[in-house]
Amino acid sequence: MVGTIELPWLEGTETHVMVVIEWRSGSRLLRVLTGSDPSLVVYGIPASAGLRALRPIVVDYTRLGIEHILAGFDHLLFVVALTLLVRGGRKLLGAVTAFTVAHSLTLACAVLGWLTLPAPPVEAAIALSIVLLCGECIRPTDSLARRAPWAVTFAFGLLHGLGFASSLLDIGLPEAHVPTALLFFNVGVEIGQLGVIALMVALRLVAARVPVRPATVRRGLVYAMGGMAGYWSIERIVAALTGPSV
């Protein structure tokens, strides 16, 4: 098979479609088509299986991980709030590392079927974690989140990992290469997360040189994020309580 596979109905949507091509030789090609990339060029039978067959999986799932952070506003707001709360490069690094370890654990456990929780309560808890983190940002007194942010981000990371898993399971995983897809989805999440943190740190440095009151801007941003997360919390809690029972 040589040519282009196009799904024009997919363009502009948020749907993901997994395409699996299997040749008579037994070699397989797996790609995920999205609304921003709804076509696939097939160049012919691969010369050999093995690592070359994994290349599309590495590229696709890394991209999906990055997109999930940048388009998943709840996770994005959590990372932004974290950079506003934690001062000092070492503390921020520790908090981010703890968050990464925690969400990697629950992501793997949920995807591999070792941990199963209903999605609505998890999504509500994720929104509440943003509210709590924003509350810590404006708290005038000392707290555990300021003294040991790694402990708080580890606990919240366990929740966010379940949210990542829900999205990844909705997208789908290649049956023969689940560990590879899981690993590189997580790599993509980390790339997106570190990119957001780097941007926030850069903006903080720029704000320090601009003749405005950074504290006022920071407080306004925190209130806006907290208000949005509070709305999500109420909406998701109501959905979880009134939704159909399984």
Side-chain angles (χ1 to χ4, degrees):
M1 178 179 179
V2 179
T4 302
I5 297 175
E6 295 184 354
L7 302 179
W9 56 267
L10 187 61
E11 188 170 359
T13 69
E14 296 183 1
T15 304
H16 295 75
V17 176
M18 182 179 295
V19 178
V20 180
I21 300 172
E22 185 168 351
W23 284 271
R24 291 180 180 177
S25 64
S27 298
R28 301 179 76 201
L29 172 67
L30 181 144
R31 295 298 299 269
V32 177
L33 303 186
T34 66
S36 59
D37 187 15
S39 64
L40 164 66
V41 178
V42 182
Y43 296 101
I45 300 174
S48 62
L51 293 178
R52 287 188 61 187
L54 295 178
R55 188 181 305 167
I57 298 173
V58 170
V59 172
D60 284 334
Y61 281 87
T62 300
R63 186 186 75 246
L64 288 169
I66 295 172
E67 289 177 355
H68 184 72
I69 280 290
L70 299 182
F73 292 114
D74 44 4
H75 303 300
L76 183 63
L77 291 190
F78 183 88
V79 174
V80 171
L82 180 61
T83 62
L84 294 175
L85 173 67
V86 181
R87 299 287 179 171
R90 185 173 296 180
K91 271 193 172 183
L92 181 58
L93 178 61
V96 171
T97 300
F99 183 66
T100 298
V101 171
H103 74 61
S104 297
L105 285 173
T106 48
L107 171 61
C109 289
V111 167
L112 296 175
W114 300 341
L115 176 64
T116 303
L117 290 174
V122 170
E123 294 299 326
I126 288 173
L128 285 172
S129 74
I130 303 168
V131 174
L132 293 174
L133 202 59
C134 288
E136 291 297 325
C137 287
I138 60 176
R139 181 193 291 269
T141 58
D142 193 18
S143 65
L144 176 64
R146 295 180 185 276
R147 293 193 305 271
W150 62 268
V152 175
T153 56
F154 184 87
F156 289 157
L158 295 174
L159 287 172
H160 284 253
L162 295 173
F164 293 149
S166 177
S167 298
L168 185 55
L169 290 172
D170 286 342
I171 293 168
L173 289 159
E175 184 178 351
H177 301 291
V178 170
T180 302
L182 177 60
L183 171 63
F184 283 96
F185 179 83
N186 208 39
V187 167
V189 166
E190 296 317 308
I191 292 172
Q193 181 177 286
L194 291 174
V196 171
I197 291 172
L199 177 61
M200 290 299 299
V201 171
L203 290 175
R204 182 188 296 174
L205 294 175
V206 170
R209 298 176 179 272
V210 176
V212 296
R213 299 182 62 184
T216 303
V217 175
R218 176 180 178 275
R219 182 173 289 269
L221 179 59
V222 169
Y223 274 113
M225 293 191 301
M228 188 177 299
Y231 171 77
W232 290 339
S233 300
I234 296 171
E235 183 181 49
R236 294 174 184 181
I237 290 171
V238 170
L241 293 176
T242 61
S245 59
V246 179

